[in-house]
Structures are given as structure tokens and as C-alpha cells.
Amino acid sequence: MGKVLAIGLATVGVAGTAAMALRLGGSWQRMVSWGLDPVLVASELPGDDLVVDPVAVDTRSIEIDAPPSAVWPWLVQMGDDRGGEYSYSVFGLPHRKGAERIVPEWQDLAMGDRINEWVVRGLEPERVLILYSDVAGNWSWVFVLESLEGSSRTRLVERIRSHPALPRRVGEVAMRVVGLGTLLMVRKQMLNIRDRAERLAT
């Protein structure tokens, strides 16, 4: 996803999006919790403690017709100098679209490694990947893989907790602006990861 703030602002027009965000009302919660029911949105996830007083919390989910073992390799090889980000090509940067295959030398992710500006702060293979950034504030980005009972399918949950280095009220408005762009980027990323994992599983 790259720098959350930069991508969000690059994806949407700031002025028009701010006006839209302030008018969203009840639909705002549906936007920041794409793919999840209210119970799952409110549940605790690993890595929540990294940003203890977030200005915004975005949690999204997608179900994948493949086991966690087919999803995990795509997550650990993310990064501009690795497998990319599986999203839209912002400013024509090809790495945003992401690799179409698993590359063995990109599978050695470890605690303390960096994925762009994010530092790996939690790593449980085929289960949890926790990333943290202190660029322009405090941010956590968590990926959780849940095996769906009675099947070989997986639920991929992503959560971004953010506390930008801004006064709180300004930060709340800014994150609504950025959140719309982030939704587009993350949704595309999750769909692409799903498609790649399902191909790998078959």
C-alpha cells in the first residue's frame, strides 16, 4: 500500500473528498468495515496495542477459496523492492500491481524487516502479519488469516489503526479524506490477493 497518507491523497481529490466524507453519515462505518459484520469489526486483533489511541480504525475482510498456506506467501513478499502491493498502479508505478508468482527469495520475511516504511512487529506464519510505522504519526497494519471451519477456505482480515501527527480533530477529518482513497487501494489489493491465492491453490 505504500505510505497511507500519500496514496490516499493521491487517489482522491482532497477538497471534494473532504466534503463527501463529512456527508457520509451512517455509510461511513460500512466503508471502513468492508466485508465484515459489526461483531467482527468490534473484535480485538493482534497488533491493536501498537496504536493505543487511534484517530481512525479501518477493518476489512474477504473470503478466499484457498487455505491460508496459499494466501500467506503473497503477504510476506509484499514491498516495492519485492512482490509489489497487488493494487492499482499509482502514478504509473508498475510495482503497485504486484507479482503474479511466488518468488522463493522473497519468502524470508523476519521480525524487524521492512516492507517499504513499515516494520515487521509480529509474524506468525500462515496466521498473522503485523506491520508498524512511525512516519508522520503512529500506524499499524495487520493481516490476519482465519481458516473457515469445515472447509479449506480462508478469511483474510486487514486492519489499519492510525494516529497521524496532527491535532485530533484535524486528524479525524484528514483520515476521512485519506480513508476513501485507502479503501480503493486496499479493496483492490485484497481482491488481487484472493485471485492469486485461488490460482495457487488450484
Side-chain angles (χ1 to χ4, degrees):
M1 186 177 60
K3 293 181 175 61
V4 175
L5 186 60
I7 289 179
L9 294 177
T11 308
V12 295
V14 176
T17 306
M20 183 187 303
L22 292 174
R23 293 182 183 134
L24 279 173
S27 63
W28 174 258
Q29 185 58 42
R30 291 191 295 274
M31 188 191 77
V32 299
S33 58
W34 177 72
L36 283 173
D37 63 43
V39 174
L40 290 173
V41 171
S43 64
E44 293 185 5
L45 291 181
D48 280 356
D49 58 322
L50 294 177
V51 181
V52 296
D53 185 27
V55 167
V57 179
D58 295 355
T59 308
R60 282 121 186 177
S61 173
I62 192 170
E63 292 188 5
I64 301 173
D65 191 17
S69 60
V71 182
W72 181 256
W74 303 102
L75 298 180
V76 298
Q77 71 175 28
M78 289 189 302
D80 290 354
D81 58 347
R82 295 159 63 91
E85 298 178 0
Y86 317 116
S87 191
Y88 294 104
S89 180
V90 179
F91 301 130
L93 298 175
H95 63 262
R96 297 290 182 203
K97 293 183 177 180
E100 295 286 347
R101 63 186 182 90
I102 299 299
V103 180
E105 53 265 37
W106 292 340
Q107 295 296 304
D108 58 351
L109 195 67
M111 291 285 288
D113 286 352
R114 286 187 172 272
I115 298 176
N116 302 344
E117 75 274 18
W118 302 91
V119 179
V120 177
R121 294 286 294 272
L123 190 68
E124 186 179 337
E126 299 184 9
R127 171 88 175 94
V128 178
L129 174 61
I130 302 173
L131 306 178
Y132 174 78
S133 174
D134 58 4
V135 175
N138 295 298
W139 315 75
S140 63
W141 188 13
V142 177
F143 302 79
V144 177
L145 300 181
E146 301 174 349
S147 295
L148 297 180
E149 186 176 355
S151 72
S152 60
R153 305 178 74 240
T154 302
R155 177 184 292 115
L156 167 61
V157 181
E158 289 194 33
R159 173 171 290 171
I160 299 173
R161 291 168 64 91
S162 53
H163 193 137
L166 296 167
R168 189 170 189 92
R169 181 54 184 161
V170 176
E172 289 172 354
V173 175
M175 291 314 300
R176 287 203 171 191
V177 176
V178 173
L180 290 172
T182 302
L183 169 64
L184 297 177
M185 301 298 292
V186 170
R187 182 178 182 276
K188 182 66 170 178
Q189 179 194 59
M190 298 181 87
L191 291 171
N192 280 339
I193 289 174
R194 180 199 64 187
D195 293 346
R196 286 163 167 78
E198 290 180 351
R199 288 200 302 268
L200 180 63
T202 56

